[in-house]
Amino acid sequence: MKNAERGILSPYDLRKPLNRIVYLLMCLVILAMVLSMVYPIAVAFFNGVKANVEVNTFPPHFLPESWNWDNYSKAWHYIDLPKYLRNTLFIFAGNMVMTVVVLGLASYSLSRLEWPYRKAAYGFFMATLFVPPATYLVPSFINLKELHVISTFWGLWLPAGANAFYLLLLKSFFDGLNPELFESARIDGASELRGFFQIAFPLSLPIFATLAIFVFSSAWNDWFWPTFVLSQDRYPLSTAIKLFVIDARRLDLNIRFALLTMVMVPPILIFLVFQRFIIRGLHLGGVKG
């Protein structure tokens, strides 16, 4: 018989009445949290297959009386979902390139290179984590306008290269790499840029995979900032849903719920598939004491 890994409570601990009560309460709290998160998704799905009259009935009922799957076909053709999905993936790809090139090289230089005032620069980057994002919306918009990148994807790509949290994760990961690898590369005549792309980057694929999930989540969920810096034909999916679905006045509720359900499913599936990489990446990129 294989030895099972011991958890917080052993079978012996569960024999005590007080421990059983506490364990039961913990399970009930977890169950309540799960239901509170699943309930809105289930409501959106079931309302998406109801008739519009049934959605507006009072008192409402949870399960539909008739399953109208054609609502999803109508929702698909209501707006050009493939175009906005393509824009979202294009934004994600550009943001990921900026994360790898700009933040990767910046964190590598902070971790592996010796240059004046390096610690002061790192402290400045970390101090920006305490600045509320709403305070630099207007300065960022003015800077992007002066650079003539408003109404282009560069209005989203350029700010993606200034994420201090990602910089912290990458630098912490680079600090844990064996310095002898880079010293050997320098002795062989390799440049620092080559050391990054041929040594640091391949060894850092786990943390970059984790950041890819974060970048995708940000590109998928952000709707507010793209309304300022992008033209309508370049809107991501979240912005299109906010402006053309949620704010729509003459759209039937069942079609609206069907659209919201279709938008919710992809990020949920991606998280369920790649959640182990998120936890692993955060552990790998954790600050080492």
Side-chain angles (χ1 to χ4, degrees):
M1 179 178 179
K2 295 183 179 180
N3 293 328
E5 183 179 355
R6 190 186 189 282
I8 298 177
L9 293 176
S10 66
Y12 175 79
D13 295 328
L14 290 176
R15 295 177 185 176
K16 300 178 181 180
L18 180 60
N19 289 343
R20 286 202 299 268
I21 295 175
V22 173
Y23 181 74
L24 179 61
L25 291 175
M26 292 172 57
C27 293
L28 291 177
V29 170
I30 294 174
L31 180 61
M33 293 175 61
V34 171
L35 292 178
S36 65
M37 296 176 184
V38 173
Y39 179 76
I41 301 174
V43 168
F45 170 72
F46 288 130
N47 284 339
V49 294
K50 292 179 181 178
N52 191 50
V53 176
E54 188 179 357
V55 176
N56 291 279
T57 56
F58 187 84
H61 47 272
F62 187 65
L63 296 176
E65 295 179 354
S66 60
W67 298 76
N68 299 275
W69 296 103
D70 59 325
N71 291 344
Y72 284 89
S73 177
K74 296 177 181 178
W76 179 265
H77 294 93
Y78 177 73
I79 60 176
D80 193 354
L81 287 178
K83 182 183 75 173
Y84 297 118
L85 176 60
R86 184 171 59 253
N87 291 342
T88 302
L89 296 179
F90 199 49
I91 293 171
F92 160 69
N95 290 351
M96 195 62 210
V97 171
M98 296 295 293
T99 300
V100 173
V101 176
V102 177
L103 292 178
L105 290 174
S107 57
Y108 177 78
S109 64
L110 289 170
S111 176
R112 292 298 167 191
L113 302 183
E114 295 289 341
W115 44 277
Y117 306 108
R118 181 185 63 166
K119 293 184 178 180
Y122 180 67
F124 172 77
F125 291 141
M126 293 301 100
T128 60
L129 290 172
F130 298 92
V131 179
T135 60
Y136 49 78
L137 285 178
V138 174
S140 297
F141 180 83
I142 294 175
N143 289 334
L144 295 174
K145 184 178 180 181
E146 293 296 329
L147 293 173
H148 303 287
V149 294
I150 296 297
S151 299
T152 68
F153 288 115
W154 284 103
L156 295 180
W157 291 343
L158 289 179
N163 192 306
F165 176 66
Y166 296 168
L167 181 72
L168 172 64
L169 290 180
L170 287 171
K171 181 186 178 299
S172 300
F173 185 87
F174 289 147
D175 289 341
L177 297 179
N178 191 344
E180 296 179 356
L181 295 173
F182 303 96
E183 293 175 1
S184 300
R186 295 188 187 102
I187 293 174
D188 293 337
S191 63
E192 297 297 341
L193 192 63
R194 186 176 179 182
F196 171 75
F197 283 106
Q198 293 191 354
I199 299 178
F201 180 73
L203 294 176
S204 306
L205 288 180
I207 190 67
F208 278 113
T210 302
L211 291 183
I213 299 173
F214 290 157
V215 172
F216 175 81
S217 176
S218 176
W220 188 275
N221 295 323
D222 187 19
W223 66 269
F224 183 73
W225 183 244
T227 59
F228 289 95
V229 299
L230 293 180
S231 56
Q232 182 173 330
D233 60 332
R234 290 184 172 90
Y235 279 163
L237 187 58
S238 57
T239 303
I241 291 297
K242 173 63 173 61
L243 297 179
F244 307 139
V245 177
I246 296 179
D247 293 345
R249 296 183 178 181
R250 297 184 178 181
L251 179 62
D252 293 340
L253 283 178
N254 56 348
I255 306 300
R256 188 173 310 189
F257 278 113
L259 276 164
L260 295 177
T261 303
M262 288 191 293
V263 173
M264 285 191 295
V265 169
I268 293 175
L269 293 179
I270 289 176
F271 174 79
L272 292 177
V273 173
F274 296 102
Q275 60 177 328
R276 63 182 183 274
F277 296 104
I278 299 176
I279 304 301
R280 181 188 175 193
L282 291 177
H283 279 246
L284 291 173
V287 179
K288 295 158 176 90

